[in-house]
């Protein structure tokens, strides 16, 4: 092949990027093909990717990838013609080819443009498969694959940090707007004031539109993040000698780009765990009357302003006895008989549950689960696990849709203002001057026949003083399956809080996640109600006597 | 060998303290402060400095010169420091600001005792206009007041991370 007469150096980066995209598309489609072996569109995607690669490589004078793709194309042609069937073995072989090309193309661009012995061996296996496989019966056509994007949209790649900056600026504008509005409203009634208020209203509408646009740009579907997990499951299943398939649901659900970036690692971890310790070996599954092929489902959906990501498997479930035994060894619990399953399962997320010992003793579900929880909580999310012995386990992660702004509920305590994330608030009730002691750390309030425990924020935060007139309000929060409240002096309404970090010196503040700036210019702290309520529970468990002794 | 550097000399409880100018970003008057429940006592709270939330510490309390932050500090020095590899801003409330001077902490000049500030938080001792100036190693001094140092949770997380890495 003669060297082409254009400047290769200029074309190579584009070629490499395009090849990378093509190989990704091919990989995804191959895994998809496994569950829908006769889907023509999926086959076409694979065929096109290889064909394009072959053509490009030949045009650039890269002999090795061109030859290799040629061999690959032969086999794909037979697959497309219905002569061959996409068996799992064949798909493994094709995935191996993808991996080979990933290494071969950059090498060949770098100047090492010859086929290695291993490559020849793989080509030989390809042609043996192309010739040798008996004519397989094509299975029924699967449901039509989703139409792949055919219309080229006008798009632009933008650095996420620029979007971050835009979002921050819009937050600053929101604060300044609040100040302006407060200034105008305190003026005496006059035509000028009315005109200013009119202009402000118009500004508000435009601003809300702008903010929605900015938040919207940052929203991306979870699909592209989820799809590589298909391969993760396939490869990991082989390593653990299990049979499993990953099913994706809700790929179109959108979430802020920064959230999805940060959730990828925890998900990888959970998926490996599900395969390693959830899904049983095929022979065990058969003996249990389950299909040998295990199913792992990764689904996303929106729920009450949050994104819910669920990973379910139909494996063995968590082993309560082993978890209890481990926790007892660690000295965390003495009597587990009274603990609910949910409380027991929650233990696997505790830091320190992870030890080399736990890996074997605990069907290993403890490996790095605390790290998963910490990552999720760092995103202001929650993680829960449900399990039924022999039926499977489900890990549910709930995350905010965006990390930069939250809908908050403002409350006043002493001379401070705090922000409670609105998505945790269930309702607010008035708690007039009653006969209970206002200095107590916590109490109980009756709500439609339900006894709801509440924590008095003034006492919990040691802010001193007493509420004016002895009147309090209780913000009722969803706390896991139950409800619990925070007693505050006053309710100050909803707000859009732009989240400001507290900095490296103030990390790990109990019950406080971050801060925001109010319209007045003052800083208000954003509460982490779950932590506050858990600490109240821990305090109750520890017993009043001990608390008095230590506080 | 002596190292000369620019220091901002501030006063707290009649003690002259030299803050490395390399860390100093600006000086501002005390702003409306929001208390931070659960923070160590040296924290006066957080303030809004042109849109950023900045923690403000009482320098006297940080150095153990007084038990509780005094209500009315006269000025706050904004420093930029690195805590656990993370660059962060912190305000130090002081009683007064004297001047900026080139001072040198001579090797071995830090007395092993006798100063009102623990010697490990000092670069050394210098003299300026007839007074002792304690040259403060701000990162060292502030490393011990942050929540990270105080938090057992953080220690647990770090150990979990280590064991996760070993996995």
């Amino acid at each position: 092949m003669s060297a082409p007469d254009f400047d290769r150096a200029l074309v190579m980066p584009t070629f490499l990027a395009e090849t990378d995209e093509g190989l990704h598309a091919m990989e995804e489609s191959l895994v998809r093909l496994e569950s829908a072996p006769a889907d023509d569109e999926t086959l076409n995607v694979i065929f096109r990717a290889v064909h394009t690669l072959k053509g490009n490589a030949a045009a650039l004078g890269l002999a090795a990838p061109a030859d290799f793709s040629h061999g690959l194309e032969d086999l794909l042609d037979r697959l497309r013609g219905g002569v061959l069937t996409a068996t799992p073995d064949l798909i493994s072989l094709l995935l191996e080819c993808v991996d080979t090309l990933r290494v071969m193309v950059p090498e060949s661009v770098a100047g090492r443009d010859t086929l290695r012995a291993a490559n020849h061996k793989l080509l030989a296996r390809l042609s043996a498969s192309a010739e040798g496989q008996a004519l397989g019966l094509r299975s029924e056509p699967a449901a039509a694959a989703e139409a792949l994007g055919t219309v080229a949209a006008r798009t632009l790649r933008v650095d996420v940090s620029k979007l971050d900056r835009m979002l921050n600026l819009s937050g600053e504008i929101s604060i300044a707007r609040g100040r302006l509005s407060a200034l105008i409203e305190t003026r005496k009634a006059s035509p000028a004031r009315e005109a200013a208020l009119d202009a402000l209203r118009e500004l508000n509408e435009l601003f809300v539109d702008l903010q929605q646009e900015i938040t919207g740009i940052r929203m991306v579907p979870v699909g592209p993040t989820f799809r590589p997990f298909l391969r993760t499951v396939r490869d990991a299943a082989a390593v653990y000698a299990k049979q499993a398939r990953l099913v994706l649901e809700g790929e179109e659900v959108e979430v802020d780009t920064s959230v999805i970036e940060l959730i990828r690692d925890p998900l990888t971890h959970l998926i490996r765990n599900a395969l390693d310790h959830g899904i049983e070996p095929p022979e065990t599954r058969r003996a249990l009357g389950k299909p040998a092929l295990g199913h792992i489902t990764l689904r996303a959906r929106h729920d009450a302003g949050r994104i819910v990501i669920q990973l379910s498997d139909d494996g063995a479930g968590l082993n309560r006895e082993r978890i209890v035994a481990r926790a007892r060894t660690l000295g965390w619990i003495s009597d587990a008989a009274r603990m609910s399953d949910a409380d027991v399962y929650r233990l696997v997320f505790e830091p320190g549950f992870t030890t080399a010992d736990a890996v074997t003793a605990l069907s290993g579900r403890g490996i790095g689960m605390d790290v998963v929880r910490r990552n999720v909580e760092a995103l202001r999310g929650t993680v829960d696990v449900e399990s039924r012995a022999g039926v499977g386990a489900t890990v549910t992660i709930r995350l905010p849709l965006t990390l930069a702004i939250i809908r908050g509920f403002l409350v006043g305590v002493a001379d401070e203002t705090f922000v409670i994330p609105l998505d945790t608030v269930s309702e607010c009730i008035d708690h007039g001057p009653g006969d209970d002691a206002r200095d107590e750390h916590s109490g109980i309030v009756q709500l439609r026949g339900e006894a709801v425990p509440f924590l008095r924020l003034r006492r919990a935060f040691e802010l001193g003083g007493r509420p004016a007139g002895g009147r309090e309000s209780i913000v009722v929060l969803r706390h896991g399956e139950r409800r619990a409240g925070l007693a505050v002096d006053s309710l100050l309404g909803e707000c859009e809080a732009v989240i400001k970090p507290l900095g490296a010196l103030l990390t790990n503040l109990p019950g406080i996640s971050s801060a925001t700036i109010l319209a007045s210019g003052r800083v208000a702290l954003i509460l982490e109600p779950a932590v506050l309520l858990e600490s109240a529970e821990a305090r109750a468990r520890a017993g009043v006597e001990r608390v008095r002794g230590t506080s | 060998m002596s190292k000369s550097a620019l220091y901002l000399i501030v006063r707290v409880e009649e003690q002259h303290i030299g803050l490395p100018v390399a860390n100093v970003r600006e000086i501002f008057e005390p702003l409306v402060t929001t208390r931070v429940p659960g923070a160590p006592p040296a924290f006066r709270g957080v303030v809004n400095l042109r849109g950023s939330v900045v923690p403000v510490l009482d320098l006297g309390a940080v150095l153990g010169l007084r038990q509780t932050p005094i209500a009315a500090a006269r000025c706050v020095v904004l420093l930029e420091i690195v805590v656990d590899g993370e660059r962060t801003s912190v305000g130090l409330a002081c009683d007064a600001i004297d001047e900026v001077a080139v001072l040198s902490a001579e090797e071995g000049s830090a007395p092993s005792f006798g100063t009102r500030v623990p010697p490990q938080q000092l670069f050394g001792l210098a003299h300026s206009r007839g007074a002792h100036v304690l040259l403060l190693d701000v990162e060292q001094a502030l490393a011990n007041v942050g929540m990270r140092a105080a938090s057992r949770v953080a220690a647990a997380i770090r150990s979990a991370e280590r064991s996760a890495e070993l996995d």
Side-chain angles (χ1 to χ4, degrees), chain A residues 214-489:
Chain A
I214 293 172
T215 336
I217 297 174
R218 301 172 53 91
M219 301 297 270
V220 292
V222 296
T225 304
F226 278 9
R227 283 196 288 273
F229 291 137
L230 294 168
R231 177 89 194 264
T232 309
V233 166
R234 200 182 182 283
D235 291 353
V239 170
Y240 298 126
K242 307 278 176 76
Q243 288 180 20
R245 176 174 298 157
L246 180 68
V247 179
L248 302 180
E249 289 176 16
E251 287 180 62
E252 72 292 344
V253 171
E254 291 193 330
V255 65
D256 191 296
T257 167
S258 49
V259 175
I260 204 69
E261 283 299 315
L262 293 165
I263 202 63
R264 184 176 322 192
D265 287 350
L267 279 179
T268 310
H269 206 97
L270 290 172
I271 288 174
R272 293 231 171 92
N273 256 355
L275 254 175
D276 190 4
H277 310 293
I279 303 288
E280 310 92 333
E283 54 278 17
T284 313
R285 290 181 65 90
R286 270 193 220 101
L288 290 166
K290 289 182 178 183
L293 181 71
H295 272 88
I296 300 176
T297 309
L298 181 59
R299 63 175 76 85
R301 64 183 154 88
H302 283 156
D303 178 38
R306 313 200 100 197
I307 183 170
V308 180
I309 297 173
Q310 257 179 343
L311 185 78
S312 310
D313 66 61
D314 62 353
L318 275 70
N319 188 323
R320 181 188 161 110
E321 282 70 41
R322 280 183 177 165
I323 297 171
V324 167
R326 176 72 194 155
R328 202 174 276 142
T329 316
L330 290 165
W332 288 355
I333 52 170
S334 49
D335 176 24
R338 290 191 330 184
M339 285 179 78
S340 69
D341 283 351
D343 285 341
V344 170
Y345 297 151
R346 218 168 279 142
L347 290 172
V348 304
F349 291 111
E350 290 298 318
F353 206 77
T354 307
T355 67
D357 195 6
V359 175
T360 48
L362 215 185
S363 60
R365 279 246 171 191
I367 308 175
M369 290 292 260
D370 58 327
V371 180
V372 170
R373 184 175 82 162
R374 194 166 47 83
N375 284 350
V376 170
E377 285 181 351
L379 298 171
R380 288 182 290 111
T382 58
V383 52
D384 292 293
V385 60
E386 288 163 63
S387 170
R388 281 174 62 197
V391 179
T394 298
V395 178
T396 305
I397 296 174
R398 288 187 175 79
L399 292 166
L401 289 177
T402 172
L403 300 178
I405 297 178
I406 56 162
R407 303 276 305 148
F409 191 74
L410 293 168
V411 297
V413 186
D415 53 353
E416 301 291 352
T417 303
F418 296 96
V419 180
I420 301 176
L422 196 62
D423 55 18
T424 61
V425 177
S426 142
E427 63 186 290
C428 298
I429 49 179
D430 190 42
H431 192 228
D435 46 5
D436 67 329
R438 294 285 140 146
D439 287 336
E440 285 299 316
H441 196 270
S442 54
I444 294 285
V445 65
Q446 289 296 326
L447 180 64
R448 293 187 295 275
E450 185 188 349
V452 176
F454 68 84
L455 177 69
R456 194 164 270 122
L457 216 46
R458 182 185 283 272
R459 286 279 286 119
F461 281 167
E462 294 168 6
L463 295 169
R466 300 183 125 210
R471 294 194 74 84
E472 291 176 311
S473 291
I474 291 173
V475 182
V476 181
L477 307 163
R478 282 181 287 271
H479 179 45
E481 300 298 302
R482 295 179 289 266
R483 291 195 293 181
L486 290 177
V488 300
D489 295 1

Side-chain angles (χ1 to χ4, degrees), chain A residues 31 33 44 66 72 117 125 139 146 298 376 414 426-427 490 523:
Chain A
V31 180
L33 200 62
N44 282 336
L72 192 53
R125 279 169 62 202
S139 54
E146 57 184 302
L298 181 59
V376 170
S426 142
E427 63 186 290
S490 52
V523 177

